[in-house]
Amino acid sequence: MTAARPWLLALLLGTLAAPAARPAEPTKPGEPAEVSFHKDVRPIFQQQCNGCHQPAKPSGGYVMTSHADLFKKGEADKANVVPGKPDASYLVAQITPQGGKNPLMPRGQTPLPEKDVAVIKKWIAQGAKDDTPASDRAVVDMDHPPSYVLPPVINALAYSPDGQLLAVSGYHEVLVHKADGSGLVARLVGLAERVQSVAFSPDGKLLAMAGGSPGRFGEVQVWDVAAKKLKLSVSVTFDTLYGVSWSHDGTRVAFGCADNTVRAVDAATGKQILYGGAHNDWVLGTAFSTDSDYLVSVSRDRTAKLTEVTTQRFIDNVTSITPGALKGGLSAVALRPFKEKRKVKAKDISIADTREKIYDELLFGGSDGTPRLYKMHRETKRVIGDDANKVREYEALPGRIYSLAFSPDGKLFAAGNSFEGAGEVRVYQVDDGKRVATLEGQKGGVFALAFRPDGKQVASGGFDGKVRLHDPATGKLVKEFAPVAGFGGTVLAK
């Protein structure tokens, strides 16, 4: 063994003898010694406060989405943040329990954890400084809508029930166009960077959005479309949300989460009324039953699960759990419209009772590219390994299915895919599986589909950022346009 060099030995001994440098101890366990607005305080505000205190919905006249706004007075005409003086800051008084009672804010919600309140107070005591990086200082709101260097990838499309409007997902916003693509009607700009799903309420007055900012927060928004006003913003989980859907009476909004849960909230108050934890991977789509008593959710875990809304009970797997029956995760679900509702008597083995159920059918698609039609409710006794709810399997598309949509009469459906940078949309007859048309002119993966309420047109969108309007009977392209300004669009036919 080679002898250690004197200088190296001295260095090693000095290193061992010298006490290790340690950061300053936090005042309390879990509380940072030096509080960062950007890393420590801003995430608390995003998760707990910004839903009601943002430019689109400034409750109490107070906005909390930027550092500068925090120092402004609201309707109470009191200094909300006084640097160096947490006890003189009205914001602190609002989030601190008073006289044994819960704090006033967040209004109607669970009080902030004590450690979060301590972080906010310490940040104010240390001077309420702003350490936001320059890259995060850009303001995006209704007064400062986003500008685009490229058209945004389109993740979601939805027609209004009267067929007059088409909602298109963008960056930080939902763009509401005239249904024929002839003009932009509204830009509904919110907090969420990613808009993953949009849906009009049954009466068309409201528009729900599910999305969020990856790794920071998920958000559900409900907008008054005519007034262009944000009625509700609810932050849920710490990642983006997916697959928003409305109950058929317009009172509840459901969505899937990247924390493997499915949830539903009251559309007026934002109060959570359903929480389902039966999935073991991201939940990407939801659909209420026709009577809204049940909710179906699809996930990357290769299952579609049925939950009873009022009891929040997991009832059954709609799809088979037989190994190999489904060859990948599910990403899309659509409820088949029926003009006549047929009720059936069904023995549900999982809950061991007999009840009448609306005869609902659902279309699923995902990683294996094969659309499948299933009955929502089991009508036969379960046998291990069966797939009794399956009605029909259709021609497989290459790659993955990301979007599905039924025609209003339930006789046709469209499926959109992505495979090796390309995508297509095929239209099928539901009852016999015959392919009616392949929509022409697609460029890139297709992530969003919607049938116009009269059934005479289908809209598609995806990776290239263009909305395309087609005749579903022939596949002919009627029109394509970019939903944001500056990127053109060509009218090919009238």
Side-chain angles (χ1 to χ4, degrees), residues 48-49 52-53 59-60 62 64 90-97 102-112 117:
Q48 304 287 354
C49 309
C52 294
H53 297 281
S59 297
Y62 188 47
M64 300 178 66
Y90 187 56
L91 169 61
V92 172
Q94 294 286 287
I95 61 176
T96 304
N102 282 341
L104 296 175
M105 296 292 170
R107 188 181 300 279
Q109 304 296 323
T110 303
L112 296 184
V117 175

Side-chain angles (χ1 to χ4, degrees), residues 277-432:
H279 286 289
N280 58 27
D281 209 330
W282 292 13
V283 179
L284 300 178
T286 66
F288 280 95
S289 61
T290 302
D291 57 14
S292 297
D293 289 342
Y294 297 88
L295 182 69
V296 170
S297 51
V298 298
S299 167
R300 300 195 312 184
D301 66 6
R302 306 186 183 190
T303 67
K305 295 186 182 294
L306 182 66
T307 302
E308 191 173 41
V309 175
T310 54
T311 64
Q312 304 184 55
R313 290 189 304 170
F314 166 63
I315 301 299
D316 198 6
N317 283 312
V318 179
T319 51
S320 172
I321 57 174
T322 304
L326 294 175
K327 299 180 177 62
L330 297 177
S331 53
V333 56
L335 177 71
R336 184 179 186 183
F338 277 110
K339 290 189 176 180
E340 293 184 2
K341 301 174 184 177
R342 180 172 69 86
K343 291 188 176 182
V344 298
K345 288 280 188 180
K347 179 77 173 175
D348 191 325
I349 304 304
S350 64
I351 58 175
D353 70 352
T354 302
R355 66 182 67 185
E356 283 192 335
K357 295 181 177 68
I358 300 294
Y359 179 78
D360 279 330
E361 291 182 351
L362 299 139
L363 191 67
F364 302 124
S367 296
D368 66 1
T370 302
R372 293 178 174 87
L373 186 68
Y374 277 79
K375 292 177 289 187
M376 179 178 289
H377 297 285
R378 175 173 287 276
E379 298 177 31
T380 60
K381 182 177 179 180
R382 175 179 293 283
V383 177
I384 297 301
D386 74 3
D387 203 7
N389 284 15
K390 187 167 73 172
V391 177
R392 184 180 299 278
E393 200 168 282
Y394 300 89
E395 171 191 28
L397 283 73
R400 300 180 179 220
I401 292 174
Y402 285 96
S403 49
L404 295 167
F406 277 106
S407 61
D409 60 9
K411 295 180 179 180
L412 302 176
F413 77 86
N417 78 327
S418 180
F419 180 63
E420 295 184 346
E424 63 179 309
V425 179
R426 298 177 184 176
V427 179
Y428 296 91
Q429 292 181 167
V430 177
D431 290 329
D432 62 10

Side-chain angles (χ1 to χ4, degrees), residues 436-487:
V436 176
T438 299
L439 307 188
E440 63 185 25
Q442 300 295 338
K443 298 173 184 177
V446 178
F447 306 136
L449 290 171
F451 265 91
R452 201 169 66 189
D454 64 3
K456 296 181 180 179
Q457 205 161 87
V458 61
S460 62
F463 185 78
D464 71 346
K466 294 288 183 70
V467 176
R468 294 181 174 85
L469 307 179
H470 288 85
D471 180 341
T474 64
K476 295 295 184 182
L477 180 63
V478 176
K479 184 175 184 177
E480 70 175 26
F481 65 95
V484 297
F487 300 99

Side-chain angles (χ1 to χ4, degrees), residues 44-125:
I44 298 173
F45 291 161
Q46 285 180 329
Q47 186 72 14
Q48 304 287 354
C49 309
N50 288 356
C52 294
H53 297 281
Q54 57 172 292
K57 193 175 185 288
S59 297
Y62 188 47
V63 173
M64 300 178 66
T65 52
S66 74
H67 180 268
D69 287 326
L70 295 171
F71 299 89
K72 298 176 182 178
K73 296 180 179 180
E75 292 174 355
D77 197 31
K78 295 181 180 180
N80 282 287
V81 175
V82 181
K85 299 180 179 180
D87 292 341
S89 300
Y90 187 56
L91 169 61
V92 172
Q94 294 286 287
I95 61 176
T96 304
Q98 304 288 338
K101 297 181 179 180
N102 282 341
L104 296 175
M105 296 292 170
R107 188 181 300 279
Q109 304 296 323
T110 303
L112 296 184
E114 289 184 11
K115 65 181 183 63
D116 288 354
V117 175
V119 166
I120 294 168
K121 292 174 70 174
K122 191 167 185 178
W123 169 69
I124 295 174

Side-chain angles (χ1 to χ4, degrees), residues 263-281:
R263 310 188 192 210
V265 298
D266 184 290
T269 66
K271 181 180 179 181
Q272 183 169 287
I273 52 97
L274 183 147
Y275 177 98
H279 286 289
N280 58 27
D281 209 330

